[in-house]
Amino acid sequence: MPLPEFNKLEQNKTAVPDWAKYMKDGEFISYSVTYNAKAYFDLFDEYLYPCAESGDIRYYVYDPVKHGAPADKKYPVLMWLHGASNSLDGVKCIMCCGAEQYATPKYQQEMGGAYIIVPLANEKRLPDGELTGTWSELYAAPVKAIYDKVCAENAANIGKKFIMGASSGGYMTWFMLEKYCGFFDGAIPIASGYIPDDDALDRISDSGTELLIAHGRRDEMAEFDKCVAPREEKLRSMKNCLLFFPEWVYNGDGGIASVHYGIEMGQHCMINWVQHNLMFDDGKPADERLPHGVTGWVRNISEK
């Protein structure tokens, strides 16, 4: 089924998802995130990476030093990989992929500063509605080259290296970990329908890369029982690996997340909760193992 053209549709904020029948007394559906979105795009600079194989790749960079961080320190580098169709929204992809909030003053302070890279796949929608050009193995080398370029241009300030992404971006995160095993210090594959085979997971586990794997158990698109459950035991055996597999994906207000643009995908949109730092508005963490959310997880790894 072709993905809806999200940029041409209005969200249905009265939808009652199929999963609502499993909600308990006192639980409620939340249709909106509670962080301030689409407000920080101007903190990112736009670049173009020439590439004959995949086509030239547009990418955005947040530079903490340019925005006031001390020039004599090292900062982690976070690359965020978007989901399918998100690049069609242009600069708005910074929000869709999960990166935007991590450029805010609050999150930057919590991480101790960080570079952020957002590459865009050369996606196109065909007349029949099908999507082409989304993340694939073809992009691995140019995406890595963009990462290396940003690091080389800011060599004096580069610290630990991270990669993260949701849905199609979760697949690409896993693939980059396979292909460039040991390069990344930390990674967050989110709501991915793909998990590498056991040999690849063993290599990633032994490489020292720290993982935070996030996937909702009621994911409507990358169904947990099909995509994750058969591999859950293997994932639990990995070193330096934190599994966040909640029964429900929430918004910051404590409501169970619904996102409906022609199809329901609120439980697939774990990336929205990640943009909320896996925290609730009242300061309670989504997981007690992450008392300071994703920003705390990044900072802990960066300071090792």
Side-chain angles (χ1 to χ4, degrees):
M1 180 180 67
L3 285 171
E5 296 189 52
F6 301 112
N7 57 348
K8 295 182 180 180
L9 296 171
E10 292 292 329
Q11 182 182 357
N12 182 350
K13 294 187 177 182
T14 62
V16 180
D18 290 341
W19 44 251
K21 59 180 174 285
Y22 299 111
M23 295 168 57
K24 299 176 182 177
D25 290 345
E27 294 180 325
F28 64 96
I29 298 173
S30 174
Y31 296 97
S32 300
V33 299
T34 56
Y35 50 80
N36 187 18
K38 303 179 183 178
Y40 302 97
F41 298 155
D42 60 353
L43 297 178
F44 291 78
D45 297 310
E46 181 178 331
Y47 300 91
L48 193 67
Y49 181 79
C51 183
E53 292 77 17
S54 65
D56 296 350
I57 297 177
R58 183 172 20 153
Y59 65 101
Y60 297 91
V61 177
Y62 173 87
D63 180 340
V65 176
K66 178 180 178 180
H67 293 284
D72 60 349
K73 292 181 59 180
K74 293 187 181 295
Y75 303 97
V77 182
L78 281 56
M79 175 175 273
W80 292 85
L81 299 169
H82 63 78
S85 83
N86 288 162
S87 71
L88 300 176
D89 282 343
V91 70
K92 293 179 183 178
C93 189
I94 294 171
M95 179 268 296
C96 296
C97 76
E100 183 185 16
Q101 296 304 304
Y102 290 82
T104 63
K106 180 177 186 292
Y107 284 28
Q108 283 287 310
Q109 181 179 13
E110 290 174 359
M111 292 185 292
Y115 286 89
I116 303 173
I117 310 171
V118 180
L120 272 59
N122 290 313
E123 296 177 314
K124 294 181 181 178
R125 194 177 290 278
L126 300 178
D128 64 0
E130 290 294 333
L131 188 70
T132 66
T134 194
W135 295 124
S136 68
E137 297 179 16
L138 179 68
Y139 286 103
V143 165
K144 174 64 160 52
I146 289 170
Y147 206 117
D148 290 340
K149 186 174 188 293
V150 173
C151 290
E153 291 171 347
N154 302 278
N157 299 112
I158 298 300
K160 298 291 180 69
K161 300 177 177 68
F162 295 78
I163 190 166
M164 47 270 281
S167 194
S168 175
Y171 148 74
M172 195 64 188
T173 297
W174 275 121
F175 186 75
M176 295 294 286
L177 291 174
E178 289 182 82
K179 187 170 179 64
Y180 303 104
C181 191
F183 175 80
F184 298 102
D185 298 287
I188 312 179
I190 303 161
S192 173
Y194 169 79
I195 295 175
D197 64 27
D198 286 0
D199 288 343
L201 290 179
D202 286 340
R203 288 191 294 108
I204 294 168
S205 179
D206 292 338
S207 74
T209 299
E210 300 203 35
L211 294 172
L212 169 56
I213 304 173
H215 203 120
R217 292 185 178 272
R218 299 190 187 274
D219 191 313
E220 305 95 341
M221 301 183 76
E223 295 180 31
F224 188 91
D225 287 346
K226 294 180 180 178
C227 300
V228 182
R231 312 299 308 286
E232 187 170 359
E233 183 177 353
K234 179 63 179 179
L235 293 173
R236 291 192 182 281
S237 73
M238 295 178 70
K239 306 168 188 173
N240 306 310
C241 183
L242 193 159
L243 304 182
F244 178 65
F245 296 158
E247 179 180 4
W248 295 110
V249 171
Y250 293 91
N251 283 326
D253 60 5
I256 299 171
S258 170
V259 178
H260 194 292
Y261 288 89
I263 59 174
E264 176 60 51
M265 53 188 298
Q267 295 300 292
H268 181 60
C269 289
M270 173 72 77
I271 192 61
N272 290 348
W273 206 7
V274 170
Q275 272 216 94
H276 210 294
N277 202 24
L278 293 181
M279 304 286 286
F280 292 99
D281 292 341
D282 63 4
K284 180 181 177 181
D287 190 302
E288 62 183 12
R289 298 168 298 174
L290 297 167
H292 303 292
V294 177
T295 55
W297 181 83
V298 169
R299 185 161 191 158
N300 287 340
I301 295 171
S302 297
E303 293 179 348
K304 288 183 179 179

